[in-house]
C-alpha cells in the first residue's frame, strides 16, 4: 500500500514537472532564420538570446516571462549554451525557473555570419533581443532590458 | 535649405563616428593604464614592436576564459614577430566583483599570463575603441609613432574548441600584416559577455 502511494505520488510529481518545464528545441541556423522571419498575425514576436552562464541574461528573464503572458506577445528564448550543456545546465535551469516562453538551443559554432544575419547591429554580446512588430518592424537591443523598456518597444505602433 | 541640412549632417558625422568607436584604418588612441604589476603602461612603452594586439577581456566571462590559453599562445608566437598582446579589463568590479584588481593579479598568476593585463579605468578605452563584449580584439599596426587599426573582432570561429576552429581570424590577419599582404577578413563577430560599464558620474 505504501509503495503504491509512493508510486502514485511519484507519477503525480513528474507530471507536474512536465507541465511546468517546456521542451527545449535544439535548432540550427536555418531554423533560427525562419523563426526571425516574421511575427504571427497581430502579435509582437520577441526573440531573446541568452545563456545559463550569462548573469545579465538571467536577471532579465523574469521580465520576458512576464510579457510572454500578454495576449499580443510571443516570447522565444534562444540559449547560446553549448549543446553539451543541454541536459546538465539548460534543462535544469528551465525547470527550476519554470520557464513558459518557447525554448530553443542554437547548436552552431561558426557564429560570425549568423550574428550578422540575425541583425547587423548585433556585436555578438549577450543578452541581445530582437523584436518583430505585428507589422514586421524590427527593433534590436543589445544588453540587459527592464520590463518597462520591453513594454515601450511592444507599444510602438 | 537642402544644402544647410547637408552641411549640418557633415558637421555631425565625426561625432557619429566617435560614438561607434573605431573602424579599420582609424588611428588608435594610446593610453596610460595600471598594469597588474602596479606600474602604468602605454603603447608607447612597447619597443622593437611593429604593432600590438589589444584585447578587451576580463576574469568572470566564461567566453573570455575559453580564450585565455589561446591568447597566451598568440602572445608567445607573435610577440617575437613584433605584435605583443596587451589585455585590457573594462569591467566595473562593483557590478562584477570577479573583475577587481586583486582578482586580475590572481588570474594572471594562475594562468601564467605572458602579457600585460591593464585596468581600463572607467571603461574609457573600451568606449573609445568601440568594444562591446569580452573578448573583443583590436589588431594595431605601427605607422611611424601612430597605431592604425587593421582588424577588429573575434580570435577564431570556435569558442568551444580551439582545435575545431577552421577560421583563425586574428592569426590570419597577423600573418597577412607580417607578410605585407592585405587582410582578407578585417572584422568578425562572436558571442561574448556584455561589457559591465562603469557608471558615468
Amino acid at each position: 500500500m505504501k509503495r503504491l502511494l509512493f508510486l502514485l505520488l511519484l507519477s503525480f510529481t513528474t507530471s507536474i514537472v512536465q507541465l511546468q518545464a517546456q521542451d527545449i528545441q535544439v535548432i540550427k541556423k536555418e531554423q533560427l532564420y525562419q523563426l526571425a522571419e516574421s511575427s504571427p498575425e497581430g502579435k509582437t514576436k520577441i526573440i531573446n538570446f541568452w545563456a545559463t552562464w550569462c548573469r545579465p541574461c538571467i536577471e532579465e528573464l523574469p521580465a520576458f516571462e512576464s510579457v510572454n503572458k500578454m495576449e499580443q506577445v510571443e516570447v522565444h528564448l534562444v540559449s547560446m549554451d553549448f549543446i553539451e550543456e543541454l541536459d546538465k545546465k539548460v534543462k535544469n535551469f528551465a525547470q527550476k525557473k519554470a520557464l513558459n516562453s518557447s525554448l530553443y538551443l542554437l547548436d552552431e559554432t561558426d557564429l560570425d555570419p549568423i550574428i550578422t544575419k540575425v541583425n547587423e547591429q548585433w556585436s555578438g554580446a549577450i543578452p541581445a533581443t530582437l523584436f518583430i512588430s505585428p507589422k514586421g518592424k524590427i527593433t534590436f537591443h543589445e544588453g540587459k532590458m527592464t520590463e518597462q523598456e520591453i513594454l515601450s518597444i511592444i507599444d510602438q505602433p | 535649405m537642402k544644402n544647410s541640412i547637408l552641411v549640418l549632417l557633415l558637421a555631425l558625422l565625426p561625432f557619429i563616428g566617435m560614438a561607434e568607436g573605431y573602424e579599420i584604418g582609424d588611428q588608435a588612441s594610446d593610453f596610460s593604464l595600471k598594469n597588474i604589476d602596479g606600474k602604468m603602461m602605454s603603447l608607447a612603452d612597447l619597443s622593437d614592436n611593429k604593432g600590438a594586439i589589444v584585447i578587451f577581456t576580463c576574469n568572470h566571462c566564461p567566453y573570455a576564459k575559453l580564450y585565455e590559453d589561446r591568447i597566451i599562445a598568440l602572445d608567445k608566437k607573435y610577440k617575437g614577430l613584433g605584435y605583443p598582446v596587451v589585455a585590457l579589463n573594462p569591467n566595473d568590479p562593483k557590478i562584477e566583483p570577479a573583475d577587481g584588481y586583486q582578482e586580475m593579479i590572481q588570474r594572471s598568476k594562475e594562468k601564467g599570463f605572458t602579457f600585460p593585463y591593464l585596468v581600463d579605468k572607467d571603461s574609457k578605452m573600451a568606449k573609445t575603441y568601440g568594444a562591446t563584449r569580452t573578448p573583443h580584439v583590436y589588431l594595431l599596426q605601427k605607422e611611424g609613432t601612430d597605431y592604425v587599426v587593421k582588424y577588429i573582432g573575434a580570435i577564431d570561429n570556435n569558442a568551444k574548441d580551439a582545435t575545431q576552429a577552421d577560421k583563425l581570424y586574428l592569426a590570419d590577419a597577423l600573418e597577412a600584416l607580417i607578410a605585407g599582404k592585405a587582410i582578407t577578413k578585417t572584422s568578425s563577430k562572436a558571442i561574448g559577455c556584455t561589457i559591465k560599464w562603469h557608471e558615468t558620474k
Side-chain angles (χ1 to χ4, degrees):
Chain A
M1 181 61 194
K2 244 188 191 167
R3 199 170 156 175
L4 190 71
L5 207 70
F6 175 71
L7 279 176
L8 252 166
L9 200 70
L10 191 75
S11 68
F12 183 62
T13 38
T14 356
S15 64
I16 288 181
V17 169
Q18 273 166 358
L19 267 179
Q20 284 179 344
Q22 288 278 337
D23 274 342
I24 300 167
Q25 206 185 327
V26 176
I27 55 170
K28 289 285 182 186
K29 59 185 174 195
E30 292 78 15
Q31 289 153 291
L32 175 66
Y33 299 154
Q34 215 172 6
L35 184 69
E37 217 158 66
S38 60
S39 55
E41 214 188 310
K43 286 194 178 191
T44 297
K45 186 189 264 183
I46 301 178
I47 304 173
N48 172 262
F49 296 90
W50 71 290
T52 55
W53 50 260
C54 164
R55 196 167 70 185
C57 301
I58 289 166
E59 286 168 354
E60 69 171 2
L61 278 184
F64 286 106
E65 281 284 290
S66 167
V67 297
N68 186 47
K69 291 187 189 125
M70 295 165 70
E71 188 84 14
Q72 73 276 31
V73 178
E74 204 180 86
V75 177
H76 301 261
L77 303 175
V78 180
S79 157
M80 303 302 284
D81 286 273
F82 296 142
I83 185 75
E84 290 82 358
E85 318 277 17
L86 177 63
D87 289 324
K88 217 171 49 199
K89 286 196 184 151
V90 191
K91 277 186 184 166
N92 272 353
F93 182 88
Q95 239 163 44
K96 204 172 76 190
K97 302 275 175 183
L99 297 178
N100 277 311
S101 304
S102 303
L103 305 177
Y104 310 83
L105 184 141
L106 181 65
D107 180 24
E108 294 282 1
T109 44
D110 188 16
L111 287 157
D112 170 61
I114 301 172
I115 292 164
T116 304
K117 179 138 186 188
V118 167
N119 194 279
E120 283 280 344
Q121 289 173 47
W122 188 13
S123 83
I126 57 169
T129 310
L130 194 72
F131 296 79
I132 310 166
S133 81
K135 284 181 183 158
K137 189 187 151 205
I138 304 275
T139 309
F140 176 80
H141 182 97
E142 187 171 294
K144 193 167 105 176
M145 298 187 84
T146 63
E147 189 164 342
Q148 209 163 10
E149 285 171 322
I150 298 167
L151 289 172
S152 75
I153 293 177
I154 293 170
D155 288 341
Q156 275 171 22
Chain B
M1 181 58 194
K2 248 187 192 166
N3 269 335
S4 60
I5 291 175
L6 193 70
V7 167
L8 191 74
L9 277 175
L10 281 174
L12 285 171
L13 212 58
F15 297 100
I16 297 165
M18 243 163 65
E20 299 202 330
Y22 292 151
E23 286 175 16
I24 303 303
D26 284 352
Q27 192 186 317
S29 166
D30 200 353
F31 40 74
S32 179
L33 299 172
K34 189 161 84 167
N35 192 7
I36 42 172
D37 64 4
K39 293 177 190 149
M40 302 303 279
M41 197 208 145
S42 307
L43 290 174
D45 296 334
L46 300 168
S47 55
D48 296 331
N49 66 319
K50 298 188 176 107
I53 307 166
V54 172
I55 306 182
F56 293 91
T57 188
C58 65
N59 285 0
H60 89 275
C61 174
Y63 264 66
K65 283 184 191 157
L66 286 167
Y67 276 103
E68 286 170 331
D69 290 340
R70 281 175 254 190
I71 294 171
I72 294 169
L74 283 161
D75 181 59
K76 282 183 177 163
K77 179 166 180 189
Y78 290 101
K79 197 186 317 203
L81 296 166
Y83 296 87
V85 166
V86 181
L88 274 64
N89 179 359
N91 287 349
D92 186 347
K94 285 200 285 294
I95 302 170
E96 202 58 73
D99 284 323
Y101 184 60
Q102 290 307 321
E103 288 74 13
M104 286 169 65
I105 297 171
Q106 178 75 21
R107 190 66 188 164
S108 169
K109 267 189 202 154
E110 277 166 18
K111 291 300 299 182
F113 285 176
T114 52
F115 45 83
Y117 189 20
L118 314 177
V119 179
D120 181 14
K121 193 168 178 284
D122 300 329
S123 323
K124 204 176 150 204
M125 281 304 125
K127 275 183 196 138
T128 307
Y129 278 59
T132 56
R133 60 177 192 270
T134 52
H136 202 152
V137 177
Y138 289 78
L139 174 59
L140 313 179
Q141 189 173 37
K142 215 167 161 182
E143 294 179 2
T145 51
D146 296 341
Y147 282 89
V148 178
V149 179
K150 293 292 179 180
Y151 168 81
I152 303 173
I155 291 167
D156 60 35
N157 73 336
N158 193 323
K160 184 161 62 185
D161 185 353
T163 64
Q164 295 299 309
D166 56 8
K167 290 173 193 154
L168 305 176
Y169 305 123
L170 176 58
D172 287 351
L174 280 156
E175 291 298 337
L177 281 187
I178 290 162
K181 290 181 186 157
I183 297 169
T184 324
K185 190 165 168 59
T186 53
S187 73
S188 66
K189 291 176 173 182
I191 294 300
C193 300
T194 46
I195 288 175
K196 309 302 179 279
W197 301 102
H198 285 78
E199 295 286 330
T200 39
K201 281 144 227 158

